[in-house]
Amino acid sequence: MNSHTTCPYCGVGCGVEVIRDSGQISGVKGDKKHPANFGRLCVKGSSLHETLDTRGRLLKPQVDGLPAHWDDALNEVAARFQRTVEEHGPDSVAMYLSGQLLTEDYYVANKLMKGFIGTANIDTNSRLCMASTVVGYKRAFGSDTVPCSYDDIELANLIVLVGSNTAWNHPILFQRMVLAKKNNPNLKVVVIDPRETATCKLADIHLALKPGSDTRLFNGLLSWLAANGHLDQDYIDRFTDGFEYALAAAVNSSADPRQLAEDCDLPVESLHSFFNWFGATENVLTFFSQGTNQSASGVDNVNAITNCHLATGRVGQPGQGPFSLTGQPNAMGGREVGGLANQLAAHMDFDAESIDRVERFWDAPNMATKPGYKAVDLFQAIERGEVKAVWIMATNPVVSLPDADQIKRALEKCETVVVSECVADSDTAKFADILLPATGWSEKDGTVTNSERRISRQRGLIPMSGEARHDWWIMCEVAKRMGYDTEFSYRHPSEIFAEHAALSGFENEGQRDFDISYFSNIDRFTYDNLKPIQWPVTAECPDGTERMFADGKFFTPTGRARFVEIIPRAPVQQPTDRAPLVMNTGRIRDQWHTMTRTGTAPRLFNHREEPFVEVHPRDAAIRNISDGMLVKVSNPRADYYARTRIEEGQRKGEIFVPMHWNEAFASQGRMGALVAPVTDPLSGQPELKHAAVQMEPLNEQWEGWLITTKSMPVPAVDYWARIPKTNTDAYHVAGLDTVDSWQQWCQEHLGEPDLWIEDPAKRSFRAAGFMNGKLNWVLLITPFNNFPSADWIDHLFVQETLETQQYQYLLSATNVEVEDQGTIICSCYQVGTTAIDKAIKSGCGSAVELGEKLQCGTNCGSCIPELEGFFTRAS
Ligand SMILES: Nc1nc2c(c(=O)[nH]1)N[C@H]1C(S)=C(S)[C@@H](COP(=O)(O)OP(=O)(O)OC[C@H]3O[C@@H](n4cnc5c(=O)[nH]c(N)nc54)[C@H](O)[C@@H]3O)O[C@H]1N2
Ligand SMILES: Nc1nc2c(c(=O)[nH]1)N[C@H]1C(S)=C(S)[C@@H](COP(=O)(O)OP(=O)(O)OC[C@H]3O[C@@H](n4cnc5c(=O)[nH]c(N)nc54)[C@H](O)[C@@H]3O)O[C@H]1N2
Ligand code: SF4
Ligand SMILES: [Mo]
């Protein structure tokens, strides 16, 4: 069997080769032949095999909290949806999906809802991710088309990274940029991001702009290009419409360089260099991601960028173009099948002609005729009681949507909540009336599309866990029970893919960009052996298409690209006296979203182990906050508890918070609850990077470590953050009230301590509980952090008996023989700051030399920017 598959994490879409050992996956390596990564994998990709533990997996269906047989669970879903539709009409039911589904899953969901149940209330977490790009591309090109290819990286002479922390979030592409820069001394890199991120290590210029000022900046660039003779007038005349209006708006808002510099809060000189480089360099590639999309001006942000590329004729030529970096492994596939509530299918919209065409193709009895609710509106409609049944699949909205507590309220109120999940305890699964176990990566089988339009196979390589089933199969079974037998009788994903391909070509005749009609009759064998390929794939281009729009022909009614007039608007969530800080949210290197997958690999916690907040030194100082202190970030919506990281690279008045933590990993870590449900008026994408909050010390009265066996319940304390270890769960714990008797506290929270030692004068307490002779829990409370490391304690939990010395160490106030590694920088080889500092002292002068000595940075390379940081800091 083919052992090649695709990484299920980011939109780079790397090829993975799995190593199997008696039916299980024992290791992974990069697929040398895959054009997205040529053999490399980042830290998340290379730890995939460590996340396949079935502990924590959802393995059996549940109905109303009780285990159920599949047949009964499917009957229930069908019956409850059917009944709701009969009583309240098709718009009273909804689906909320995810860019982590396979294209085949997505296709079936969209067909069932929009063609057979008869509602377009089907949206996806791509609304939070790529929706602004979809609208921006459509406004500019008439179609949702990424014009570029990864191969353009090596051809570019200027790479602009806007609102993208590529080094951490698209690491393999970043490595490609690093190499390209090494091989091409002319290549310049500009990073546009309010924060100084790891990506900035590659930048010749970092424009730490005021958040939300991107439209001004790119309007400024457009007017500067016009004023300084850098327009491609011939291209503008032949291939575009609307230039004069766009230019007038740009000049109006941003022509004066001094004013522009002030508006964006940037030095005039850096702006000038960026503009000069952009003007003078033909091969410019502009990547953009969530700093661009997740804004109430997200669509305008995208068009402000595309305007500059159109004005210089730099679209679709080798090494040139506006390149959206997609986030999820299959956000693109979702767009292709019409997974968003305002799309139909195969890149068609809700116009009369398309509705009719899709209706005929599907032979659909109940064709939806108008767009449905977008994600944020959908959950509000659920809370209002208008939508009464929702099926959530492969996403965790209780964590990831803005105003996240509203999502809880909505789900509590909703009559029927069906959740299809791989894990049993996601924050959203807790609200399910019916829980359906889905197959996960390496079990599920189908296709995904990456950021450069490349379709790759994610293959089913190992048996399904427990009673987990494929999402497409589950939906087909429900459809059959609703009376749609023949239309959902697929036996294999290849049949779904073939139908999807046929629809993309149906009455297309070159009118729609998304066309993979070459695969309309694909058989199972060919599908199983499908090589990665970039769409369009048609009879005329059977080997796929590397770049789009090279000929200047677009999918607008006139065939010409459109400039868009951009009138800059400020972010909607503005700081106030009571919430004076801007809260930016985003990702960290080693975690994936709500941690349901990366949270099972202990080594992925070594980089950042608990919820944190990055703060500028001045903002910390005026609040009496020091590095490492626990703080409360809050606004009237909610509280978020986290540990402070003081960072010079953070702008004053702005903090950064990771999006990942949730109720399974921390007591108060759901930052989404603090974000207002403000959206872009055109795309419906929420403004996730600009919440208004305040911050103060948490004022905990005590703090310590609690280490327990994995089966013990989460402790009932004011603050906890769980750090999974090999054998145990380690918790940072803290309390807001003083504890008079720790012994009594243990009895109440953990059980009678078998060992304990207390020093009230020093406010320290250490205790341990045993079960059947083995350690069951260890509690270490002390004002000083001088106890043995959690990793050392972790290994004691599997020992049958402890040695006398181990007992002593466990309760002693000294550090044990194991050397403190410091913060782990290289996750692949577990190299920490202690070893790095030592190596630098002994003469290592660069990241390369560190790699030679310690191996750090020599596998996936994700940590190289941080390794380089040791030398920029030192100098
Ligand atoms: N390690 C890891 N990698 C991932 C993911 C993950 O969870 N973990 N998720 C994947 C997914 S789904 C996605 S969508 C991508 C996202 O990838 P990115 O877009 O790179 O991720 P973020 O960290 O959300 O945000 C990017 C940057 O936008 C900046 N920003 C904030 N406000 C502004 C602004 O007003 N203007 C500009 N120019 N920049 C601003 C932030 O400071 C941040 O550094 O990552 C993918 N890759
Ligand atoms: N404030 C703030 N909020 C954000 C963002 C931000 O930057 N800031 N980023 C936004 C973005 S870009 C994104 S993409 C979202 C991501 O947010 P979510 O989509 O909520 O995050 P995930 O943790 O990826 O959730 C996927 C869930 O599906 C399950 N799952 C995985 N594979 C499968 C499968 O094949 N089938 C089924 N049925 N289940 C599966 C996983 O166990 C997991 O619980 O968050 C968004 N929210
Ligand atoms: S860059 Fe990393 S997370 Fe993204 S697809 Fe490649 S290996 Fe997976
Ligand atoms: Mo995303």
Side-chain angles (χ1 to χ4, degrees):
M1 198 167 55
N2 198 329
S3 57
H4 293 82
T5 184
T6 311
C7 177
Y9 294 122
C10 83
V12 177
C14 297
V16 177
E17 199 183 331
V18 305
I19 303 149
R20 269 174 299 184
D21 203 356
S22 34
Q24 291 306 313
I25 293 179
S26 55
V28 290
K29 52 186 183 178
D31 175 354
K32 289 208 163 55
K33 293 210 180 103
H34 198 291
N37 57 318
F38 299 107
R40 302 200 80 165
L41 290 179
C42 78
V43 59
K44 293 185 300 306
S46 55
S47 53
L48 269 167
H49 57 293
E50 295 166 41
T51 64
L52 300 177
D53 194 342
T54 50
R55 279 184 295 189
R57 277 290 294 270
L58 178 66
L59 297 172
K60 202 174 168 47
Q62 284 175 27
V63 175
D64 297 329
L66 297 172
H69 291 296
W70 260 116
D71 199 37
D72 296 333
L74 294 165
N75 285 339
E76 273 308 308
V77 179
R80 293 188 198 188
F81 265 65
Q82 189 95 308
R83 202 168 53 228
T84 313
V85 171
E86 277 161 16
E87 287 174 13
H88 306 282
D91 289 336
S92 63
V93 300
M95 273 197 187
Y96 183 58
L97 311 177
S98 155
Q100 290 163 77
L101 291 170
L102 302 174
T103 300
E104 292 74 5
D105 301 322
Y106 243 136
Y107 179 85
V108 169
N110 198 52
K111 178 176 174 183
L112 174 61
M113 290 298 273
K114 290 183 186 150
F116 292 76
I117 292 181
T119 177
N121 282 343
I122 164 170
D123 211 40
T124 141
N125 65 0
S126 294
R127 183 70 61 196
L128 319 177
C129 186
M130 310 316 310
S132 296
T133 292
V134 173
V135 182
Y137 274 158
K138 280 166 91 166
R139 284 209 297 187
F141 308 145
S143 59
D144 173 20
T145 321
V146 179
C148 319
S149 258
Y150 296 161
D151 282 351
D152 291 322
I153 293 173
E154 286 79 23
L155 302 171
N157 284 321
L158 173 63
I159 290 179
V160 186
L161 296 162
V162 193
S164 159
N165 185 6
T166 331
W168 282 8
N169 301 326
H170 296 93
I172 294 302
L173 275 192
F174 185 74
Q175 292 310 316
R176 225 167 137 163
M177 294 173 195
V178 171
L179 201 64
K181 196 159 193 297
K182 209 168 171 186
N183 294 335
N184 173 9
N186 294 327
L187 171 60
K188 296 238 171 1
V189 176
V190 176
V191 173
I192 302 176
D193 191 313
R195 295 193 296 150
E196 189 183 332
T197 61
T199 305
C200 296
K201 298 282 178 316
L202 190 68
D204 296 284
I205 299 179
H206 169 211
L207 298 175
L209 83 177
K210 182 174 160 194
S213 64
D214 299 64
T215 46
R216 281 196 191 277
L217 177 64
F218 282 93
N219 264 359
L221 175 60
L222 184 64
S223 52
W224 186 90
L225 291 168
N228 292 277
H230 290 293
L231 299 177
D232 185 339
Q233 198 60 50
D234 183 48
Y235 187 90
I236 295 172
D237 293 343
R238 286 172 62 199
F239 301 123
T240 71
D241 283 325
F243 176 68
E244 298 73 24
Y245 302 105
L247 180 62
V251 170
N252 202 15
S253 75
S254 313
D256 174 14
R258 268 177 214 293
Q259 186 61 45
L260 179 65
E262 201 181 310
D263 291 343
C264 301
D265 196 12
L266 288 169
V268 182
E269 306 72 45
S270 322
L271 268 181
H272 194 67
S273 306
F274 167 50
F275 289 179
N276 264 307
W277 290 353
F278 197 105
T281 314
E282 204 46 41
N283 286 3
V284 181
L285 205 51
T286 306
F287 289 95
F288 51 93
S289 194
Q290 296 319 342
T292 304
N293 286 313
Q294 291 173 341
S295 152
S297 306
V299 180
D300 280 355
N301 285 342
V302 172
N303 286 113
I305 295 170
T306 54
N307 279 349
C308 295
H309 276 270
L310 288 171
T312 46
R314 297 173 192 154
V315 175
Q317 305 302 326
Q320 307 176 8
F323 199 157
S324 146
L325 281 174
T326 11
Q328 298 177 90
N330 200 29
M332 290 282 277
R335 283 145 74 171
E336 289 149 23
V337 300
L340 293 160
N342 51 323
Q343 300 177 328
L344 203 40
H347 280 196
M348 282 179 268
D349 291 323
F350 278 97
D351 54 277
E353 209 183 320
S354 300
I355 295 170
D356 172 62
R357 186 182 302 120
V358 178
E359 184 173 22
R360 283 185 284 114
F361 183 84
W362 280 341
D363 199 8
N366 296 310
M367 194 65 202
T369 52
K370 57 176 196 319
Y373 280 126
K374 300 186 176 99
V376 171
D377 299 337
L378 173 64
F379 282 86
Q380 288 171 355
I382 295 175
E383 193 182 5
R384 286 198 303 275
E386 205 178 303
V387 170
K388 294 170 192 300
V390 62
W391 190 347
I392 297 168
M393 204 176 295
T395 176
N396 198 356
V398 167
V399 184
S400 53
L401 268 167
D403 200 10
D405 287 343
Q406 187 271 329
I407 311 304
K408 283 189 174 182
R409 291 198 301 275
L411 294 180
E412 246 155 31
K413 219 176 140 187
C414 190
E415 285 169 18
T416 301
V417 178
V418 182
V419 174
S420 295
E421 249 301 337
C422 300
V423 303
D425 69 344
S426 84
D427 289 7
T428 303
K430 291 189 191 122
F431 292 85
D433 300 301
I434 302 179
L435 251 181
L436 304 174
T439 49
W441 180 79
S442 74
E443 299 167 0
K444 58 185 190 175
D445 199 28
T447 55
V448 291
T449 308
N450 74 0
S451 292
E452 56 162 1
R453 287 174 282 106
R454 193 179 296 280
I455 299 170
S456 298
R457 288 280 277 113
Q458 251 194 41
R459 291 189 168 88
L461 302 166
I462 54 170
M464 303 189 253
S465 293
E467 292 181 32
R469 293 289 174 271
H470 300 317
D471 288 305
W472 67 264
W473 180 89
I474 300 171
M475 286 182 280
C476 287
E477 288 302 307
V478 168
K480 287 177 197 164
R481 284 164 174 78
M482 293 177 90
Y484 310 122
D485 280 53
T486 47
E487 298 88 347
F488 292 88
S489 60
Y490 311 105
R491 288 157 304 172
H492 188 263
S494 59
E495 297 173 2
I496 306 171
F497 185 76
E499 185 179 313
H500 164 56
L503 175 55
S504 76
F506 185 57
E507 299 175 2
N508 187 331
E509 282 128 32
Q511 287 177 59
R512 306 192 301 270
D513 65 329
F514 180 69
D515 188 344
I516 54 166
S517 49
Y518 185 72
F519 296 125
S520 299
N521 297 310
I522 194 167
D523 58 32
R524 187 168 167 171
F525 178 82
T526 317
Y527 177 82
D528 277 340
N529 291 294
L530 190 70
K531 297 247 173 355
I533 188 163
Q534 283 173 290
W535 63 257
V537 193
T538 59
E540 293 78 49
C541 47
D543 297 324
T545 311
E546 196 173 14
R547 289 184 192 86
M548 299 287 280
F549 310 132
D551 57 0
K553 285 209 193 80
F554 295 87
F555 292 94
T556 53
T558 58
R560 296 157 78 88
R562 283 184 294 234
F563 281 93
V564 180
E565 250 177 293
I566 304 295
I567 298 159
R569 286 170 288 139
V572 177
Q573 298 167 82
Q574 285 296 336
T576 61
D577 287 348
R578 295 178 62 192
L581 293 167
V582 170
M583 181 177 86
N584 178 5
T585 63
R587 287 153 175 78
I588 62 171
R589 195 188 71 190
D590 293 1
Q591 291 296 342
W592 177 259
H593 294 168
T594 69
M595 304 162 92
T596 51
R597 290 191 276 177
T598 40
T600 58
R603 76 175 159 121
L604 295 181
F605 280 80
N606 290 337
H607 182 238
R608 298 279 186 276
E609 58 181 23
E610 61 182 327
F612 63 85
V613 50
E614 287 181 352
V615 191
H616 185 272
R618 190 210 60 171
D619 289 325
I622 55 178
R623 292 172 175 80
N624 288 325
I625 291 169
S626 54
D627 199 38
M629 200 184 235
L630 285 175
V631 291
K632 175 165 115 177
V633 176
S634 63
N635 62 20
R637 276 170 212 286
D639 298 340
Y640 167 82
Y641 295 173
R643 203 169 293 278
T644 313
R645 295 175 62 89
I646 294 188
E647 293 284 347
E648 293 277 354
Q650 193 63 42
R651 284 165 49 94
K652 285 185 204 134
E654 296 164 23
I655 59 172
F656 177 78
V657 157
M659 64 159 296
H660 307 285
W661 270 269
N662 55 75
E663 286 173 5
F665 287 90
S667 51
Q668 238 95 13
R670 278 166 53 251
M671 54 76 230
L674 281 73
V675 182
V678 167
T679 57
D680 179 288
L682 299 173
S683 68
Q685 179 150 0
E687 183 181 70
L688 295 170
K689 302 250 183 278
H690 208 277
V693 298
Q694 63 160 325
M695 184 174 69
E696 62 205 302
L698 184 62
N699 271 332
E700 70 280 6
Q701 299 301 309
W702 57 268
E703 200 187 332
W705 273 105
L706 172 65
I707 298 155
T708 71
T709 55
K710 290 204 185 270
S711 54
M712 269 183 70
V714 169
V717 291
D718 296 309
Y719 173 80
W720 59 263
R722 178 160 71 94
I723 302 130
K725 301 284 173 191
T726 314
N727 310 301
T728 59
D729 278 323
Y731 297 89
H732 279 292
V733 286
L736 301 182
D737 299 317
T738 47
V739 173
D740 294 331
S741 160
W742 276 106
Q743 228 186 322
Q744 198 183 336
W745 191 95
C746 287
Q747 282 161 1
E748 281 166 21
H749 291 83
L750 303 162
E752 192 70 49
D754 293 298
L755 289 178
W756 55 275
I757 185 166
E758 187 165 15
D759 184 346
K762 289 191 185 145
R763 292 198 292 148
S764 94
F765 178 82
R766 293 139 205 273
F770 288 78
M771 193 182 272
N772 304 327
K774 274 190 176 176
L775 265 180
N776 195 35
W777 57 264
V778 172
L779 178 69
L780 305 166
I781 303 293
T782 166
F784 314 107
N785 257 344
N786 57 350
F787 28 68
S789 82
D791 286 319
W792 181 77
I793 296 177
D794 177 71
H795 92 274
L796 301 184
F797 274 68
V798 283
Q799 275 182 225
E800 288 303 332
T801 47
L802 299 192
E803 293 156 21
T804 321
Q805 203 189 23
Q806 289 174 329
Y807 277 118
Q808 282 169 359
Y809 280 141
L810 197 55
L811 299 184
S812 78
T814 49
N815 219 327
V816 196
E817 72 268 23
V818 285
E819 191 190 353
D820 178 13
Q821 298 185 351
T823 304
I824 299 290
I825 301 294
C826 170
S827 293
C828 296
Y829 292 112
Q830 293 289 296
V831 183
T833 45
T834 313
I836 293 169
D837 286 337
K838 235 189 208 164
I840 293 173
K841 279 204 190 98
S842 74
C844 278
S846 66
V848 175
E849 284 174 26
L850 283 176
E852 282 162 6
K853 195 171 167 105
L854 304 169
Q855 280 191 298
C856 50
T858 57
N859 182 41
C860 77
S862 307
C863 63
I864 292 172
E866 279 159 279
L867 293 175
E868 281 166 354
F870 281 86
F871 300 99
T872 38
R873 267 203 297 279
S875 61

